[in-house]
Amino acid sequence: MSNPPAYILEPVAKARAKLETFAQDRATFPGEVLLDMNVTYLDRQIYNPATARYDRVRLRGYQDTRQASPSGVDTPLVGPTIDVRPGETVRITLNNMLPQDSTCGIGGGSANTPHCFNGTNLHSHGLWVNPSGNGDNVLVSIRPGIAFQYEYNIPADHPAGTFWYHPHLHGSTALQVSSGMSGALIIRGDRMPTPTETGDIDRLLKQPDGSDIAERVLVLQQIQYACTDSDGGITYDCQPGQVGGIESYDQFGPGTWPASGRFTSINGQVLGQLAPAVAGSVERWRMIHAGVRDTINFEIRRKTGSAALRALTAADTDRWIDQNCGEDPIPYGVVAQDGLTMAQVQMRQQAVLQPGYRVDALVVLPQAGDYCLVDAAAPAAASVNQLAPSRRLLGIVTAVEGETVNGEISTYLQDWLISAAERTMAPDVAGKVIDDLKNDMRLSSFVPHPDIEPGEVTGEQQLVFNIDVKQPGGTFFEIDGQPYDANRIDRTLPLNGVDEWTLRSDFVSHPFHIHVNPFQIIKIVDAAGNDVSALGADDDGDPQYPGLKNVWKDTLWIKNPGTDPSTRYTITVRTRYQRYIGEFVLHCHILDHEDQGMMQNVRITLPDGNGGTVSGHH
């Protein structure tokens, strides 16, 4: 990789000299988690199963300066995992070493036309932290040649769970995230539940010797690089000697991901072999949808065939899975959504991840052998691309000899959890935890937020997504009938208020995401008036909504299987605005939709004591 030019290096060096930049070393700096990352072009290679060869790519990415030696072409295009504990401070210095970009800060035109591809910033997706200043502030623009340090002060009572980080500069978010600019952020807690306070599920998920159970962090990405054909257009058929990249929003849009023939990667690896597991052991799998434009229906199937998988086109994977990956998916126990522990372990054969989602699952591979990780087909209405996609293979994991599980995995997992509770829980709470686990594997002692009751609600909010294709001059991506305006505050809400939100989409489906405060799902009503959010409900074969009633999340699919308001679902959620004031955003997490206007500014401010809110110094 060529060195950045002096006009980039010199300003960054001067800026960095003014910032506190340390190695990540808790022994030297107790309570501090410190990273120093360059944002720069990376020369890498990505395996292309369709051609059984590696494609050269040059993509914007994170370069961790802590690495002892320079990263090479085989270094995965995924950011480093950040591990942090409640009460600690995360400091991340971003050094923007990309070339200057004349489209940053342009005047005139539409702010919702993708632009400033070499500007950047950072979002800690799902964290309950300050959105202002050096906190989780996505309203700043770090231009080429500038260094900036983010500071996330993690509250001592922050829920333990699975979160992630990625760029969030309006106009270039999709392009940068699709280049692999994302990584896991794991909060590891150790609060023991008490008779009056809930605790962290991490205290329960322990081996007999007291150590944590084995875990896997699975960052799922769609790196949608392309090359140039003989006519100067975009082609996904990169030839030897060509270098793939992402330099245009022409690579995004309905149907582009399936048409690309690319495969979702796990931690930067396409069709990779994951680290081995031990048969019969309970593992915690932290799945993060860090992609832009695909719906992932995650399955685990026993590999029964012996066919090689390295030369495998996307079009052939459905047949390959039929022939080599068994008939029945292996069930696993979902314990958290979007990093927040649920009230009950839900046994599933398939977890649906929309862009931005996280799912924590307790996985048991019942016997030694190979297992297929599969992105299963979904109903068209459940998919970002509004198509019923072919299944895709994600990777293989091998279970080595251990304990063979002959009975129901749900019973095996329930017995394991009860045994863990007997070992780990304090005497004053052990009985309640064990009784809960015996009663449908309930986890009421570990849910991080209390239910929001109707009497607690102090206000209401309405939100409608829409893509306006009827206006002359182009397509407009809107919320509540308006595209994004950086200078407009769309919602001013009082600190400590509690709102009930009604969410709908008038034109196809969109994943809703709001920063800072999570929300609790109250009901999900289809176009015919049926609430499909209860566990065991039927939503015409779509598995993503049943079981979400009363679950806490920060990102949620707002479903409309058509292009008319008559087919839309109506979703009701409730949220509390706690602890933090300041400005942040809500948006569609199909990130090219966000970049083109499907976003709003939200301001949380102090109440004025008379039913309104305080503005400025008035």
Side-chain angles (χ1 to χ4, degrees), residues 258-495:
S260 75
R262 303 279 182 248
F263 284 67
T264 293
S265 58
I266 300 179
N267 301 330
Q269 299 292 328
V270 172
L271 293 188
Q273 177 80 41
L274 278 65
V278 176
S281 66
V282 177
E283 293 190 344
R284 181 176 188 168
W285 289 25
R286 301 178 183 264
M287 294 173 262
I288 301 170
H289 193 318
V292 173
R293 265 202 163 269
D294 192 32
T295 300
I296 297 172
N297 294 35
F298 193 89
E299 289 183 347
I300 306 170
R301 291 173 175 263
R302 177 67 190 248
K303 188 171 183 291
T304 54
S306 58
L309 59 86
R310 297 299 284 169
L312 184 64
T313 65
D316 289 338
T317 54
D318 193 65
R319 175 189 53 79
W320 194 96
I321 290 166
D322 265 342
Q323 294 176 352
N324 294 279
C325 295
E327 292 185 5
D328 297 319
I330 306 296
Y332 48 81
V334 174
V335 297
Q337 299 264 12
D338 292 354
L340 302 173
T341 302
M342 301 191 304
Q344 175 185 1
V345 180
Q346 294 187 9
M347 297 302 300
R348 295 184 178 271
Q349 292 182 311
Q350 187 181 106
V352 179
L353 291 98
Q354 303 289 2
Y357 279 27
R358 286 89 65 216
V359 170
D360 284 43
L362 300 181
V363 175
V364 179
L365 302 181
Q367 60 190 92
D370 290 337
Y371 292 82
C372 304
L373 308 183
V374 174
D375 179 1
S383 172
V384 167
N385 294 290
Q386 297 290 305
L387 302 169
S390 172
R391 291 179 295 177
R392 300 281 180 93
L393 190 66
L394 300 172
I396 299 291
V397 61
T398 300
V400 300
E401 289 291 346
E403 180 179 352
T404 299
V405 180
N406 292 315
E408 294 287 335
I409 288 180
S410 59
T411 302
Y412 182 90
L413 184 57
Q414 183 178 37
D415 291 343
W416 186 93
L417 288 167
I418 292 169
S419 177
E422 292 170 344
R423 297 191 310 267
T424 61
M425 292 293 100
D428 60 350
V429 75
K432 178 180 182 302
V433 172
I434 291 168
D435 286 345
D436 272 354
L437 291 169
K438 290 179 178 178
N439 181 18
D440 296 326
M441 286 192 282
R442 298 189 181 277
L443 299 169
S444 63
S445 294
F446 305 98
V447 178
H449 301 291
D451 289 345
I452 301 179
E453 302 297 338
E456 192 181 342
V457 174
T458 59
E460 296 181 353
Q461 297 292 316
Q462 306 281 330
L463 182 145
V464 179
F465 288 119
N466 187 44
I467 302 176
D468 187 347
V469 297
K470 298 178 181 178
Q471 298 296 321
T475 299
F476 295 88
F477 294 83
E478 301 172 340
I479 297 179
D480 299 332
Q482 292 182 304
Y484 179 65
D485 183 343
N487 299 311
R488 184 184 67 232
I489 301 298
D490 297 279
R491 301 172 195 269
T492 299
L493 307 170
L495 185 68

Side-chain angles (χ1 to χ4, degrees), residues 212-230:
D212 294 335
I213 63 171
E215 74 171 36
R216 298 173 189 272
V217 177
L218 307 179
V219 180
L220 303 161
Q221 298 169 298
Q222 290 95 42
I223 300 177
Q224 199 169 334
Y225 64 94
C227 291
T228 303
D229 62 21
S230 58

Side-chain angles (χ1 to χ4, degrees), residues 560-574:
N560 184 342
T563 58
D564 186 273
S566 65
T567 57
R568 68 187 183 181
Y569 284 47
T570 300
I571 297 176
T572 304
V573 304
R574 296 176 186 152

Side-chain angles (χ1 to χ4, degrees), residues 514-578:
I514 188 167
H515 294 200
V516 186
N517 297 290
F519 50 82
Q520 186 176 29
I521 299 166
I522 304 304
K523 58 184 176 180
I524 301 174
V525 178
D526 67 14
N530 304 305
D531 185 353
V532 295
S533 65
L535 190 63
D538 179 21
D539 184 22
D540 289 331
D542 183 354
Q544 66 181 315
Y545 283 151
L548 289 185
K549 182 177 286 292
N550 296 325
V551 169
W552 287 84
K553 286 176 61 64
D554 60 54
T555 310
L556 182 62
W557 185 248
I558 310 304
K559 185 174 175 179
N560 184 342
T563 58
D564 186 273
S566 65
T567 57
R568 68 187 183 181
Y569 284 47
T570 300
I571 297 176
T572 304
V573 304
R574 296 176 186 152
T575 187
R576 303 180 178 99
Y577 314 120
Q578 296 182 301

Side-chain angles (χ1 to χ4, degrees), residues 64-204:
D64 186 357
T65 65
R66 299 172 300 164
Q67 292 177 330
S69 58
S71 55
V73 295
D74 293 325
T75 304
L77 284 161
V78 64
T81 296
I82 301 172
D83 280 289
V84 61
R85 304 181 189 114
E88 291 188 323
T89 296
V90 182
R91 301 184 196 276
I92 304 174
T93 301
L94 289 185
N95 314 297
N96 189 344
M97 305 179 79
L98 292 167
Q100 293 289 347
D101 186 340
S102 62
T103 69
C104 289
I106 57 174
S110 172
N112 298 313
T113 299
H115 64 286
C116 201
F117 296 168
N118 289 348
T120 196
N121 62 21
L122 198 67
H123 172 42
S124 56
H125 185 124
L127 287 195
W128 182 38
V129 294
N130 181 10
S132 303
N134 286 54
D136 183 32
N137 189 344
V138 301
L139 301 176
V140 300
S141 179
I142 306 171
R143 304 291 171 80
I146 301 301
F148 182 77
Q149 187 178 82
Y150 278 91
E151 178 181 293
Y152 306 142
N153 297 302
I154 311 298
D157 58 349
H158 195 292
T162 302
F163 305 92
W164 66 298
Y165 63 90
H166 62 85
H168 207 299
L169 183 63
H170 181 61
S172 62
T173 303
L175 180 139
Q176 293 187 5
V177 171
S178 187
S179 298
M181 291 180 67
S182 59
L185 197 162
I186 309 299
I187 295 187
R188 302 186 184 279
D190 60 0
R191 293 175 300 168
M192 178 68 73
T194 72
T196 57
E197 300 287 338
T198 61
D200 295 316
I201 197 172
D202 302 38
R203 288 298 297 257
L204 176 65

Side-chain angles (χ1 to χ4, degrees), residues 232-253:
I234 288 173
T235 177
Y236 292 107
D237 183 19
C238 293
Q239 298 299 310
Q242 287 190 301
V243 178
I246 303 177
E247 298 294 340
S248 167
Y249 273 62
D250 292 342
Q251 288 164 242
F252 305 117

